[in-house]
Amino acid sequence: MLPITGYADRWSVRQGERIDFNISVLGGGRYKARVARVLCGDPNPKGPGYREVPATWAMEGEHEGEEQPIHLGSWVDVPGVVLPAGDIGFSATLWPTRLAAGQQAVLSFASTAGSLTLGVGPNGAYCRLVTPSGEQTLETGVKLTERAWYDIACDLTGGTLALHQSAHRPRLDRQESAACSAASTAMLGGAGAVAVAADRSTQVVRAHFNGKIERPTIIAGAQKVAAWDFSQQMGTDTAIDTGPNNYTGRCINLPTRAMTGSNWRGDVHRWTEDPAQYGAIHFHDDDMGDAGWHSSLGFTVPTDWISGVYALHLDKDGARDNIVFYVRAAVPGSQAKVAFLAPTFSYTVYSQYQKAGRQAMITERSRAWGALAQAPDGHPEYGVSPYNFHSDGSGVGMASMRRPLIDKRVNQIHLIDPSPDGSGLYWISADGYVTDLLTRKDIAFEVITDHDVHAEGAALLSQYNVVLTGQHPEYHTTETLDALATYLADGGRFIYLGGNGFYWKVVPHYEGPWSFELRRAEGGIRLWETLPGESYHAHDGSYGGLWRRLGRPPQQLVGVGFSTQGEYNSYPYSFIDGILNPRVAFMREGMEDLATPGAPLGERGLMGGAAAGHELDRADTLLGTPRHAIIVGRAVLTDPTFQPVNEERRDHTWPAKREDIIRSDLTFMETPNGGAVFSVGSMCFIGALPIDGYENVAARLITNVVRRFADPAPFPKPPPTDD
Ligand SMILES: [Fe+2]
């Protein structure tokens, strides 16, 4: 656990609205808190430096802290179960995935009189009966096979405890059973649990199950007590009991639903067509949903805090953390007609990206630079991200913002930059270059977030003449893409300052976008892929995967789309003939002699050493780039680490030429009704902005684009000759 950390209940808050911060102080004790508006998130002393403006805040000062626990692992909580006295039986069907982890509970009940647990472990199925006279455990002693289906059951009948285990066809393993005499007892009111041991007297659940469970059932003699059907309401956290007592359960920590069950035949891939084939939930011992911390500091944002990027800074005896939040104007567009759109969906999905070795890599430099020195691989206690595997080897498909997002901070680096003076940034710290540029160029702006666009749609975007992205706006809902498309169709202007944007679909939790579900279906650069039959989201039944595979390639929206990925190395762009097109004359203003075909831009940068790097996007009319789009500059990379993304490589002969795919295109296009888009198509581009005090060619180009795009004068329709 970090000495001090926390999370906010929201990413953005309007002036005059309340925000709550849930903070944990290890061991409790007093801590200091202050708020600042962040100008630049980069701690690199060879860059612009971490800079902020202190905010006047009534709660600034010392506060009494308390430790708030975090418990990984998903399960189903069923409080208030009453077992009748006498014979009792538990059963379930399961697909175990991590037997080496030890004994794992599948179905469990506990009361003050005792407990009964049915589970699996390294030696096959087991059951454990605890009564006032002692504890008895049975094991079949016959090992299970991971990722195969079994029925297991135990029953306590007439003073005998018996255990059964049998494999489903086509596996033809022996049926196994075990029995012993047991002291039967009456265990009346208590709590039931699926996928975890139910003894919660210590408030800590244990023995988390890894794998799929379906149809956990409790019987008493010939009577059904409870039978949970996970194929019902699988878009929610509710576990429906089809038995007579309505023992409805609640899923804790976001286990994955809409998973193929033991009866899945392969003929149905969309669970909504036959939910009965999707009666399984996949539980993991490292799932993390809502940490459930209570508010430590809650306040109403003063109306004189201008819209911007803010951080709550925490200090406990010299140990620090900061929690980033975005202050919006009380009335959108009232403060400025330029908006920075913080990619809070992507920040959330990327949170807790545990990359082995990063903590060790960044610690020394972070301390030397006065930056936060925390990395997710050094703090696995806060869970994993969809860029990780669960402990059982399955891909992580759920993301949550109701937990400390310890790598989404300001004044934080994420790797040792391969370039000598580079900063090694991603995400929030990197995106500070965009707001720093606007501030230094005296361009007034407001901030809004993906969460706001999801909730308020094109009506919000329409309050601004121009909207700018950050480095990596990768994850989008149908709602955010629709809002952006509508905004552009209505004459809005958009500057996409990143790479690999608008790429994957996410579906928010059914109660709202505090959590996201993603299905890594079909193609795409991805560390894991959805299993057969599991490409449809549980929350809304829609198909998941790449927006390109869903008929909405990024080129349709912003003119360019993901094409190549390589190491965190960057290279210069060159202007090409398009820069001389009179339609983009505004881009050359004040640097007509520098912005000419063949002249370089972005030769230096703080992210990988230049402007074109890491993940690059290209224009392609076949994928939706309008024919009238103008490419004003291009970088074609020869670095061998840069390879086509999966969806750009069809067989061993394609792509025939590197320059077809391994490139980034600086692309401009007018949109209907006087709007326009400018896209850079590189993850590292914004790292070139701060060079020479934001007075280099790349920074001046972007400044010219922002100024023209902020001007309400409509862009003329492109002449047909340019089409
Ligand atoms: Fe990405």
Side-chain angles (χ1 to χ4, degrees):
M1 295 280 278
L2 287 164
I4 186 164
T5 191
Y7 58 96
D9 69 333
R10 62 199 61 216
W11 275 105
S12 72
V13 58
R14 293 192 199 206
Q15 296 164 322
E17 285 181 347
R18 181 183 170 92
I19 185 168
D20 283 274
F21 293 90
N22 313 323
I23 295 163
S24 177
V25 176
L26 190 62
R30 294 187 76 74
Y31 67 95
K32 285 184 245 166
R34 64 184 181 84
V35 172
R37 183 164 58 87
V38 178
L39 301 178
C40 182
D42 179 9
N44 182 359
K46 290 182 175 168
Y50 176 71
R51 295 184 304 116
E52 61 176 33
V53 179
T56 303
W57 180 41
M59 298 179 80
E60 178 167 334
E62 286 205 0
H63 298 268
E64 191 64 34
E66 61 174 319
E67 186 171 329
Q68 304 207 55
I70 191 156
H71 301 300
L72 303 183
S74 57
W75 55 291
V76 179
D77 187 15
V78 193
V81 173
V82 177
L83 291 191
D87 298 345
I88 203 78
F90 284 7
S91 65
T93 298
L94 70 146
W95 191 80
T97 52
R98 198 186 171 212
L99 293 165
Q103 290 193 335
Q104 299 157 59
V106 171
L107 180 57
S108 179
F109 170 85
S111 73
T112 51
S115 66
L116 179 62
T117 298
L118 172 67
V120 294
N123 301 311
Y126 76 92
C127 63
R128 178 171 296 122
L129 176 68
V130 179
T131 64
S133 54
E135 176 179 322
Q136 286 169 295
T137 299
L138 281 179
E139 277 188 321
T140 62
V142 175
K143 292 183 190 305
L144 303 168
T145 300
E146 290 181 354
R147 293 176 164 77
W149 287 102
Y150 292 87
D151 293 324
I152 61 172
C154 67
D155 54 77
L156 180 59
T157 307
T160 300
L161 182 64
L163 174 68
H164 314 276
Q165 149 188 339
S166 63
H168 281 208
R169 296 169 70 86
R171 292 187 57 81
L172 297 174
D173 293 10
R174 298 167 296 174
Q175 288 220 350
E176 294 296 338
S177 61
C180 70
S181 60
S184 188
T185 183
M187 297 187 293
L188 299 173
V194 177
V196 75
D199 176 9
R200 277 169 286 151
S201 55
T202 59
Q203 297 299 310
V204 177
V205 296
R206 59 197 164 75
H208 283 282
F209 175 75
N210 290 280
K212 295 180 185 179
I213 296 175
E214 63 180 26
R215 290 194 299 275
T217 301
I218 301 175
I219 56 169
Q223 300 291 318
K224 191 180 279 187
V225 176
W228 290 277
D229 179 357
F230 297 153
S231 75
Q232 296 189 32
Q233 296 195 24
M234 68 180 100
T236 74
D237 290 334
T238 304
I240 295 294
D241 173 21
T242 61
N245 300 305
N246 195 25
Y247 288 135
T248 302
R250 189 169 66 92
C251 295
I252 308 293
N253 278 341
L254 301 174
T256 311
R257 303 195 69 169
M259 295 278 103
T260 54
S262 62
N263 59 341
W264 184 66
R265 298 186 300 270
D267 58 343
V268 168
H269 287 255
R270 182 173 194 166
W271 62 264
T272 53
E273 291 174 16
D274 187 5
Q277 292 191 48
Y278 287 82
I281 293 180
H282 196 144
F283 298 90
H284 311 89
D285 62 10
D286 52 3
D287 273 324
M288 183 68 236
D290 184 349
W293 292 1
H294 51 256
S295 175
S296 313
L297 295 172
F299 61 95
T300 299
V301 169
T303 52
D304 60 353
W305 285 13
I306 63 167
S307 179
V309 184
Y310 284 72
L312 171 72
H313 290 280
L314 304 168
D315 185 317
K316 163 70 171 153
D317 302 330
R320 293 175 296 146
D321 197 5
N322 65 67
I323 303 170
V324 176
F325 62 106
Y326 298 87
V327 173
R328 299 174 59 192
V331 178
S334 62
Q335 183 182 311
K337 290 296 179 188
V338 175
F340 169 68
L341 172 56
T344 47
F345 284 1
S346 297
Y347 294 158
T348 303
V349 172
Y350 265 108
S351 284
Q352 277 301 111
Y353 179 4
Q354 294 187 32
K355 203 160 186 178
R358 284 293 162 92
Q359 179 70 74
M361 179 196 269
I362 62 142
T363 302
E364 189 183 331
R365 176 171 284 186
S366 298
R367 291 198 177 125
W369 286 1
L372 298 181
Q374 62 211 27
D377 66 308
H379 292 279
E381 65 271 22
Y382 302 113
V384 284
S385 79
Y387 284 81
N388 294 113
F389 295 96
H390 286 292
S391 66
D392 70 355
S394 58
V396 178
M398 310 298 280
S400 168
M401 59 177 274
R402 290 183 178 167
R403 58 170 172 171
L405 313 177
I406 72 163
D407 55 344
K408 297 296 168 289
R409 308 306 203 199
V410 289
N411 200 12
Q412 181 176 51
I413 67 171
H414 298 94
L415 75 164
I416 298 296
D417 200 288
S419 65
D421 295 338
S423 303
L425 303 186
Y426 280 96
W427 310 304
I428 296 180
S429 285
D431 287 341
Y433 294 142
V434 178
T435 49
D436 198 26
L437 172 88
L438 297 173
T439 305
R440 287 165 185 259
K441 303 294 180 187
D442 284 328
I443 298 170
F445 65 94
E446 294 181 6
V447 295
I448 55 175
T449 69
D450 287 344
H451 285 77
D452 304 318
V453 175
H454 179 88
E456 299 169 33
L460 170 61
L461 296 168
S462 70
Q463 302 307 310
Y464 303 101
N465 291 349
V466 54
V467 176
L468 294 82
T469 76
Q471 170 219 22
H472 197 29
E474 179 172 0
Y475 289 88
H476 284 271
T477 55
T478 302
E479 288 83 352
T480 56
L481 277 198
D482 284 351
L484 289 165
T486 301
Y487 170 63
L488 287 174
D490 291 347
R493 290 83 181 274
F494 195 60
I495 304 176
Y496 165 40
L497 288 175
N500 181 214
F502 317 100
Y503 190 60
W504 288 105
K505 174 178 173 176
V506 283
V507 169
H509 188 267
Y510 70 101
E511 290 172 340
W514 64 272
S515 152
F516 296 99
E517 179 191 19
L518 64 146
R519 303 273 166 148
R520 299 210 189 266
E522 294 196 58
I525 287 292
R526 63 222 201 277
L527 297 171
W528 57 271
E529 58 192 11
T530 48
L531 294 182
E534 297 178 350
S535 292
Y536 287 84
H537 293 268
H539 286 319
D540 69 354
S542 70
Y543 190 56
L546 296 186
W547 282 112
R548 173 170 168 163
R549 295 294 316 167
L550 295 163
R552 303 182 75 168
Q555 282 92 342
Q556 280 182 8
L557 186 74
V558 292
V560 298
F562 194 26
S563 190
T564 177
Q565 183 187 44
E567 295 296 328
Y568 194 95
N569 300 323
S570 309
Y571 300 89
Y573 287 84
S574 296
F575 287 108
I576 62 175
D577 289 349
I579 192 65
L580 297 180
N581 192 309
R583 286 159 49 204
V584 296
F586 63 90
M587 292 187 191
R588 302 175 67 217
E589 251 172 54
M591 54 176 192
E592 289 80 357
D593 51 334
L594 296 171
T596 58
L601 74 155
E603 316 95 290
R604 290 175 290 143
L606 298 174
M607 293 163 63
H614 200 21
E615 296 187 342
L616 306 178
D617 302 351
R618 69 183 178 93
D620 188 338
T621 52
L622 293 177
L623 289 170
T625 307
R627 298 202 68 83
H628 70 272
I630 301 171
I631 300 173
V632 302
R634 173 170 286 163
V636 178
L637 272 56
T638 56
D639 178 336
T641 70
F642 283 77
Q643 293 293 320
V645 294
N646 300 338
E647 59 275 22
E648 295 278 45
R649 173 168 269 165
R650 294 171 200 138
D651 69 8
H652 67 291
T653 67
W654 174 262
K657 290 184 285 188
R658 278 183 78 83
E659 57 265 37
D660 289 338
I661 300 293
I662 315 297
R663 67 168 209 251
S664 169
D665 294 328
L666 303 178
T667 302
F668 167 83
M669 63 200 203
E670 297 91 345
T671 54
N673 297 305
V677 173
F678 183 67
S679 296
V680 301
S682 163
M683 286 246 311
C684 293
F685 189 95
I686 60 174
L689 298 177
I691 300 297
D692 297 334
Y694 292 86
E695 283 300 331
N696 65 88
V697 173
R700 291 165 71 184
L701 175 80
I702 298 304
T703 306
N704 284 344
V705 173
V706 176
R707 290 218 164 100
R708 173 61 188 92
F709 280 30
D711 179 346
F715 283 86
K717 272 190 178 164
T721 48
D722 284 13
D723 197 25

